[in-house]
Amino acid sequence: MLLSPEIAGAVNQNDINQELQQGGIIHLPAGTYILTDSIILQSNTILEGEPGTVITIPDHAGWPAWKPLISGNSVQNVTIRNLEINANSNGNLETPHGAGYYNCIHVVDCDNLQVYNCTFHDSLGDGLRTKRCENIKFYNNLVYRLGHEGFFGIESQYIECFNNRITTRTNSGLRIWNSANVRFHDNVIDAQLDAGGGDPGIQIEDSKGSVGNVEIYNNVLNRTWGKGIWLVAYDSGVSNIQKVLIHHNLFYEIGQSYNIPSIGGIVNDGFQGTRIYNNVFDGVKNNAFRNQAGGQGTVIKDNVFTNTVQHTSISQMGTGYAIADLAGANLSVTNNSFYNNENGNAYQTGISNADFRDPETHRTSSGWTWTGSTWTCKFIKPTELGSIPLTTTIRLRLMAIIYSILYCKFFN
């Protein structure tokens, strides 16, 4: 069903909802669609736009908490694609960030949802928020200036988020809470570099003991404001053995914050059985891996840990070491490369079979190599989203050039 381009700017959510009730493909031509109420998804539908299709809300919209721009309840087989969602946070400054207002898309009890080729920006809430949903795919999206998470899966299963380009604000890029069977891969995540820049790039949270079969791989986490990845368990979650897999990720200059104490490449607060392998941690602040609680059964192998530095402004135990085990979990740390970490390689934990040569000039067991301007790995493919000509190599090369000009820091 095609809504006529010449009336695109005048079409409102009532017209869109009427077409969605008919099912099939609902195409929104280029234009700005100002909503005064939610778009309500229906089963077996595709809601799509094209370049220039923008969904937004008015200034001082006055909606109650938990009323999203696009809503779905107990629907299945839904696709949302090729839309720009501008949730107009600047026009609604009287409303707080992260308090349930103006989430872009919020679905509950849904099955088989795909959201791709969309842009999410200037929201007080989440990009896509799911609760008790299954079979969710969130990919090829551009996300920035949100008021909570880019993607937030709550009590949901069979989630895959990939090929997204996310800049965090207020909180994290990708997050799950009490969810299982999750794949986060091939995403590029950085932060808005100010006090509103959020915290982790990726957050995995378990309070019910239901988190399991989670794999985080092939991501570039670049200059996040807080943690790169935060594993946090509490209540019933502390007795669960989550066995999260974290591999083939690049953690580059993670932890730019001056106001968050527990920054680091991976910060563990209660997870058990985590396997961390074939990653690069370069220039991370505080610690590349920081274990603050739990951590039993954690295996750390075949990684590169280089150029770790102390927290920018907050003095604390173990800062400036590549690995710090503050919980006495008896971590298994084997076959890793350590080089030029400011205060040392390991704090309150042993290491074995370590390689202390410069990983930029010697081959390591990590599978990563230094090209002279960036780290490369055959498992990480170039990332390009829409009109953003962004690849891992291009981004880090540009960073190197900028740093050399501003800070006289040259990469060999």
Side-chain angles (χ1 to χ4, degrees):
M1 184 70 63
L2 175 65
L3 296 177
S4 178
E6 58 266 20
I7 64 168
V11 170
N12 63 23
Q13 71 281 340
N14 295 328
D15 301 297
I16 297 170
N17 288 335
Q18 183 176 359
E19 299 302 334
L20 283 167
Q21 290 174 5
Q22 307 304 312
I25 299 175
I26 310 306
H27 183 85
L28 304 180
T32 300
Y33 300 78
I34 301 175
L35 308 180
T36 56
D37 205 341
S38 300
I39 293 173
I40 308 299
L41 298 171
Q42 304 293 330
S43 294
N44 305 310
T45 55
I46 297 173
L47 178 63
E48 68 175 17
E50 60 185 47
T53 301
V54 181
I55 291 174
T56 189
I57 58 174
D59 294 346
H60 314 296
W63 294 11
W66 306 114
K67 175 183 281 295
L69 278 68
I70 300 177
S71 176
N73 288 277
S74 301
V75 297
Q76 59 185 0
N77 305 324
V78 173
T79 295
I80 301 171
R81 64 192 183 195
N82 304 326
L83 295 177
E84 178 183 344
I85 302 179
N86 175 0
N88 192 18
S89 57
N90 286 342
N92 290 275
L93 294 175
E94 67 276 10
T95 309
H97 288 225
Y101 291 93
Y102 311 124
N103 291 316
C104 297
I105 305 172
H106 188 182
V107 295
V108 180
D109 296 319
C110 296
D111 182 26
N112 194 19
L113 171 70
Q114 294 191 75
V115 177
Y116 64 92
N117 293 349
C118 292
T119 298
F120 299 85
H121 66 96
D122 292 277
S123 172
L124 294 164
D126 300 307
L128 171 60
R129 184 184 183 103
T130 74
K131 186 171 184 180
R132 297 190 304 271
C133 295
E134 294 190 356
N135 302 309
I136 307 299
K137 289 190 175 183
F138 182 79
Y139 61 100
N140 292 356
N141 299 296
L142 176 63
V143 180
Y144 60 96
R145 290 205 302 267
L146 298 190
H148 205 231
E149 333 295 348
F151 169 85
F152 191 8
I154 304 169
E155 298 174 6
S156 298
Q157 292 201 57
Y158 302 104
I159 295 166
E160 187 177 15
C161 297
F162 61 98
N163 288 349
N164 299 291
R165 173 70 179 89
I166 303 173
T167 297
T168 63
R169 183 177 75 164
T170 305
N171 206 39
S172 60
L174 302 172
R175 178 181 177 186
I176 59 166
W177 183 14
N178 298 327
S179 297
N181 304 308
V182 177
R183 301 288 179 268
F184 289 164
H185 65 93
D186 297 283
N187 302 285
V188 177
I189 303 175
D190 62 9
Q192 177 177 302
L193 294 178
D194 58 30
D199 191 347
I202 296 173
Q203 181 171 335
I204 311 297
E205 186 173 0
D206 188 1
S207 65
K208 293 185 175 180
S210 54
V211 171
N213 192 23
V214 175
E215 189 172 7
I216 303 169
Y217 60 100
N218 295 10
N219 300 287
V220 175
L221 293 125
N222 169 46
R223 306 198 84 207
T224 58
W225 188 243
K227 309 156 187 72
I229 297 175
W230 189 19
L231 308 175
V232 54
Y234 51 94
D235 297 339
S236 298
V238 299
S239 60
N240 187 21
I241 302 176
Q242 292 87 1
K243 296 184 179 179
V244 174
L245 303 180
I246 303 174
H247 64 93
H248 295 98
N249 303 284
L250 173 58
F251 297 81
Y252 191 81
E253 296 193 348
I254 299 299
Q256 295 293 309
S257 172
Y258 55 84
N259 59 355
I260 300 172
S262 57
I263 58 177
I266 301 171
V267 176
N268 185 57
D269 280 304
F271 271 48
Q272 301 181 66
T274 307
R275 295 182 62 86
I276 301 166
Y277 57 96
N278 296 103
N279 304 282
V280 169
F281 300 83
D282 186 357
V284 175
K285 294 187 177 182
N286 207 28
N287 304 107
F289 178 75
R290 185 174 179 87
N291 189 51
Q292 301 189 141
Q296 291 76 16
T298 298
V299 174
I300 303 173
K301 67 187 296 287
D302 296 314
N303 303 282
V304 170
F305 298 97
T306 186
N307 303 320
T308 309
V309 297
Q310 296 184 118
H311 195 292
T312 300
S313 58
I314 301 175
S315 178
Q316 56 196 288
M317 292 177 60
T319 189
Y321 288 81
I323 299 173
D325 182 10
L326 307 182
N330 192 27
L331 308 175
S332 173
V333 183
T334 62
N335 213 40
N336 297 284
S337 171
F338 295 95
Y339 186 77
N340 195 38
N341 298 298
E342 184 173 10
N343 287 338
N345 298 319
Y347 181 79
Q348 296 186 175
T349 190
I351 61 177
S352 63
N353 298 325
D355 180 356
F356 299 109
R357 297 174 297 175
D358 185 350
E360 291 187 5
T361 58
H362 292 83
R363 185 182 298 276
T364 70
S365 62
S366 68
W368 293 80
T369 57
W370 177 252
T371 68
S373 58
T374 188
W375 293 98
T376 61
C377 175
K378 67 179 181 180
F379 295 103
I380 294 190
K381 61 181 180 294
T383 302
E384 183 171 330
L385 300 176
S387 62
I388 307 298
L390 176 66
T391 70
T392 300
T393 300
I394 290 172
R395 179 167 181 77
L396 294 182
R397 183 178 295 125
L398 287 174
M399 287 170 54
I401 294 170
I402 291 169
Y403 291 167
S404 69
I405 294 172
L406 296 181
Y407 304 107
C408 297
K409 178 180 179 180
F410 291 89
F411 289 80
N412 297 321

